[in-house]
Amino acid sequence: MGDPTPSSKTTGKTGKSPEWADGLRQLYDSVVDEPLPDSFKDLLSKLDDSDGPSPE
Amino acid sequence: MSESKRTAAEKADFKRELTEVVPHLRAFARGLCGRPDMADDLVQETMLKAWTARERFQLGTSMRAWTFVILRNAYLTDMRRNRFRGDYDEGVAERILTAPAGQEEPLHLSDMHRALLTLPPERREALLLVGAGGFSYEEAASICDCAVGTIKSRVGRARAALNSMLADGDIPKRSIKDAAAHRAILEELDEVAAGNGVAN
């Protein structure tokens, strides 16, 4: 990704992260890793064609 | 809006970056609103808004942060317009909120998700941004248009709440079915939304 890498201070100043902290990230990552539904691909391809689906 | 002083390559970059960030938008949206179908609607709305506003995106800055702001504002607007209230699907809510602990999920992700959904929205989003999205406090504060100290405090409270819920295995079924609790959530949301300018 073109992002400046976000810093990984997930534990804050508590030092030790609770057991569930990994779960939170897994929850997020599990969605990130899902294959993209076709509706999104369709939308992205529409954005290609014109200046956008809605008139400005 | 002056049409495109941007080069074709810059336009292509925008499109590519927007494409790359979509999975993250889906993850953030799902964490925020809990329902996959609504979350995806929200993401598509966000993509359209981002596309419309694309000339305002500063090349070289974080596409993820920029689009998260748009998504967040769309979410708050929808919440205030009752979209997530009126057609809330009781059946789905029931299933999400009372689902048994995860089948093969090592860390009981369904518990995790349920616990997350009981948090007030402003704390939930702060925790999502910092604890799941990997944003720094400063970046999260910028996305939420609030002070860094406010984000730290929200994350701290969210963590404390999750600690007690998950450590005790005691996840309250507070939420949409509980009218009073839900109203409290929405009032809190209004406060959050009131102070915030929209991303444009």
Side-chain angles (χ1 to χ4, degrees):
Chain A
M1 277 297 72
D3 265 342
T5 328
S7 62
S8 54
K9 295 189 275 188
T10 54
T11 53
K13 58 188 172 186
T14 60
K16 61 171 184 166
S17 54
E19 195 185 322
W20 53 261
D22 281 345
L24 183 64
R25 189 171 277 272
Q26 277 180 37
L27 198 62
Y28 183 93
D29 289 344
S30 69
V31 183
V32 171
D33 292 339
E34 280 179 17
L36 209 57
D38 287 341
S39 57
F40 286 91
K41 294 174 186 160
D42 292 346
L43 179 57
L44 283 164
S45 67
K46 271 184 215 149
L47 297 183
D48 245 351
D49 298 338
S50 63
D51 264 349
S54 57
E56 311 247 342
Chain B
M1 187 153 320
S2 62
E3 181 52 24
S4 54
K5 289 171 234 145
R6 290 189 181 172
T7 66
E10 285 170 341
K11 288 180 184 173
D13 282 349
F14 180 90
K15 175 74 184 301
R16 181 180 44 77
E17 288 184 29
L18 182 61
T19 304
E20 284 172 354
V21 90
V22 169
H24 289 271
L25 289 170
R26 295 184 74 220
F28 183 46
R30 185 115 32 121
L32 276 183
C33 78
R35 285 191 49 184
D37 53 346
M38 283 186 174
D40 279 354
D41 284 351
L42 197 58
V43 172
Q44 300 211 348
E45 185 184 344
T46 301
M47 290 162 69
L48 289 172
K49 287 187 163 149
W51 185 256
T52 305
R54 63 194 179 283
E55 296 286 331
R56 272 179 273 155
F57 176 68
Q58 300 193 336
L59 300 170
T61 61
S62 167
M63 175 64 78
R64 197 162 69 112
W66 187 68
T67 48
F68 273 34
V69 173
I70 297 174
L71 187 145
R72 172 181 189 272
N73 284 322
Y75 174 68
L76 292 176
T77 303
D78 286 348
M79 284 293 273
R80 303 180 83 199
R81 283 183 187 152
N82 293 350
R83 182 165 152 212
F84 292 91
R85 283 181 250 189
D87 41 353
Y88 200 91
D89 183 329
E90 289 278 335
V92 173
E94 181 79 7
R95 204 161 66 241
I96 291 174
L97 293 164
T98 61
Q103 297 74 2
E104 291 145 41
E105 297 163 338
L107 278 163
H108 301 306
L109 290 191
S110 63
D111 278 353
M112 179 75 228
H113 203 181
R114 256 189 317 147
L116 191 63
L117 288 171
T118 66
L119 298 177
E122 57 179 14
R123 293 179 198 166
R124 185 162 69 239
E125 75 173 359
L127 188 64
L128 280 170
L129 291 170
V130 174
F135 287 102
S136 67
Y137 287 122
E138 289 75 15
E139 290 165 327
S142 162
I143 289 170
C144 298
D145 195 22
C146 67
V148 174
T150 306
I151 287 292
K152 286 185 178 170
S153 146
R154 287 175 187 170
V155 170
R157 285 164 194 243
R159 284 199 172 122
L162 288 191
N163 272 340
S164 72
M165 274 188 258
L166 296 170
D168 305 343
D170 175 27
I171 303 167
K173 293 186 181 115
R174 163 190 178 177
S175 88
I176 347 312
K177 286 187 73 176
D178 177 341
H182 193 217
R183 202 176 318 116
I185 291 174
L186 291 167
E187 278 164 11
E188 224 166 325
L189 242 189
D190 282 344
E191 280 173 38
V192 177
N196 285 321
V198 180
N200 51 35

